[in-house]
Amino acid sequence: MEGDAEVGKFYENNVINSSAELRSIQWNNTRVFNDEGLVVGTISCGTDVTEQKKSEAEKQAIQAQLFQSQKMEAIGTLVGGIAHDFNNMLQAILGYSELLSEEISLGNRGQHEINTIVQTAKGGAELVKKLMAFGQQAFTFPVKFDLNRQIEELGILLNRTLPEEVRIVLNLNAEKPTVKADPNQIDQCVMNLAINASEAMPDGGVLTIGTKNINLSKEFCALNPGITPGSYLAMTVSDTGRGMDEKTLARIYEPFYSTKQRGSTRGTGLGLSVVKGILDKHGSLIECKSRPSEGTTFTIFFPLEGDGQ
């Protein structure tokens, strides 16, 4: 019969509309045949699915972050419990070793071995502190303080501790630099990020720490569960180092994951996990952007008093 049609498959392509916006269009083509069975035309019906695809992408991103958060919480609970028990064992080793050391004369051949036991146990105790911080078992004492001033003071320490080849630049432009947090734990976060940045620049480079006030939009917060739109203080820690690829970037907050060579004594793979745990406890967000050979930038968003809560 003339006008019989055959329904084609759906397909999508991108088009630019009259407002110069890129839109995703889903097409349904219908081929029209004549009485001899030859195709004489096509009826095309296009549906704009841009917002639908955007909504689906946001949903997938939120689900992925929720899964990661649940996984980290479970690991944190496990690690915190193990660290607590391990700490009790270490304290017993330290206690009895120090008692034994006092009972043995300084000339005794066993004195060196006992001292080694004590120092090793103390090293284990330091690792336990990191484990407990990761497991969010450490106490937090938040107070209001000027983050700009805190960074200036920390910059003096970094200049003394980081290699001379690393140049430190402070861009402290926040007009409202007061945040409510535990200053000691924030220092720990900045130090961890700065040391990582330094190690990413073995031949030297520039480490930049900056602050500025920003407003986070509903769209941004929709992709980052746990924070709400409002005024924030953004602190950035940037380096000009080797950067990271997407595969590495996806795992940087995993406990015990490290880009250092296996067997290296330079790190435990807990540094960024501890930073993430501290900031989660403060209700702050950390974001990382990096590309190979183009450096890395960490941004921490602190909610300002009365906003972003």
Side-chain angles (χ1 to χ4, degrees), residues 173-189:
N173 301 316
E175 296 178 357
K176 298 179 180 179
T178 301
V179 297
K180 187 175 183 179
D182 186 321
N184 292 325
Q185 292 190 356
I186 299 306
D187 279 355
Q188 182 181 354
C189 291

Side-chain angles (χ1 to χ4, degrees), residues 208-285:
T208 304
I209 304 177
T211 62
K212 64 179 180 179
N213 298 108
I214 63 169
N215 288 313
L216 296 185
S217 65
K218 292 181 180 179
E219 292 75 16
F220 181 87
C221 294
L223 296 174
N224 296 278
I227 62 172
T228 56
S231 300
Y232 285 77
L233 191 158
M235 179 183 72
T236 56
V237 180
S238 304
D239 66 64
T240 57
R242 51 178 172 258
M244 295 176 281
D245 57 26
E246 292 184 4
K247 184 177 179 181
T248 302
L249 199 58
R251 299 188 62 189
I252 57 174
Y253 301 118
E254 292 183 10
F256 309 111
Y257 176 74
S258 176
T259 57
K260 300 178 180 67
Q261 293 182 352
R262 187 179 298 275
S264 169
T265 58
R266 294 172 63 193
T268 60
L270 281 171
L272 289 177
S273 299
V274 170
V275 170
K276 182 81 164 55
I278 289 173
L279 295 175
D280 285 347
K281 203 167 186 180
H282 280 79
S284 300
L285 172 71

Side-chain angles (χ1 to χ4, degrees), residues 2 12 41-42 61 89 121 165 194 202 247 253 256 269 276 291 302:
E2 189 173 357
E12 294 181 13
T42 302
M89 298 177 188
E165 296 79 10
K247 184 177 179 181
Y253 301 118
F256 309 111
K276 182 81 164 55
R291 295 182 66 178
F302 295 97

Side-chain angles (χ1 to χ4, degrees), residues 73-270:
E73 183 178 356
I75 295 174
T77 301
L78 175 63
V79 169
I82 293 174
H84 184 270
D85 291 341
F86 185 42
N87 187 58
N88 291 339
M89 298 177 188
L90 284 173
Q91 295 309 312
I93 294 173
L94 277 170
Y96 283 111
S97 296
E98 290 174 351
L99 285 174
L100 188 59
S101 178
E102 293 175 0
E103 295 177 0
I104 296 179
S105 64
L106 293 177
N108 193 292
R109 291 180 57 188
Q111 184 68 53
H112 174 71
E113 284 78 5
I114 293 176
N115 289 339
T116 301
I117 293 172
V118 171
Q119 293 304 316
T120 303
K122 286 182 177 179
E126 288 299 315
L127 176 57
V128 165
K129 289 182 180 179
K130 291 185 178 181
L131 288 168
M132 295 185 73
F134 165 70
Q136 299 186 35
Q137 302 298 313
F139 291 106
T140 300
F141 300 98
V143 296
K144 293 181 181 180
F145 66 93
D146 186 323
L147 185 60
N148 282 357
R149 182 176 298 176
Q150 190 84 359
I151 293 174
E152 287 175 345
E153 294 176 355
L154 197 58
I156 297 172
L157 176 61
L158 290 173
N159 271 311
R160 294 173 179 170
T161 56
L162 297 184
E164 293 181 358
E165 296 79 10
V166 175
R167 183 164 65 92
I168 300 173
V169 176
L170 302 184
N171 291 328
L172 307 179
N173 301 316
E175 296 178 357
K176 298 179 180 179
T178 301
V179 297
K180 187 175 183 179
D182 186 321
N184 292 325
Q185 292 190 356
I186 299 306
D187 279 355
Q188 182 181 354
C189 291
V190 177
M191 286 294 293
N192 276 338
L193 294 176
I195 290 171
N196 282 353
S198 173
E199 292 178 350
M201 301 183 289
D203 299 322
V206 180
L207 168 65
T208 304
I209 304 177
T211 62
K212 64 179 180 179
N213 298 108
I214 63 169
N215 288 313
L216 296 185
S217 65
K218 292 181 180 179
E219 292 75 16
F220 181 87
C221 294
L223 296 174
N224 296 278
I227 62 172
T228 56
S231 300
Y232 285 77
L233 191 158
M235 179 183 72
T236 56
V237 180
S238 304
D239 66 64
T240 57
R242 51 178 172 258
M244 295 176 281
D245 57 26
E246 292 184 4
K247 184 177 179 181
T248 302
L249 199 58
R251 299 188 62 189
I252 57 174
Y253 301 118
E254 292 183 10
F256 309 111
Y257 176 74
S258 176
T259 57
K260 300 178 180 67
Q261 293 182 352
R262 187 179 298 275
S264 169
T265 58
R266 294 172 63 193
T268 60
L270 281 171

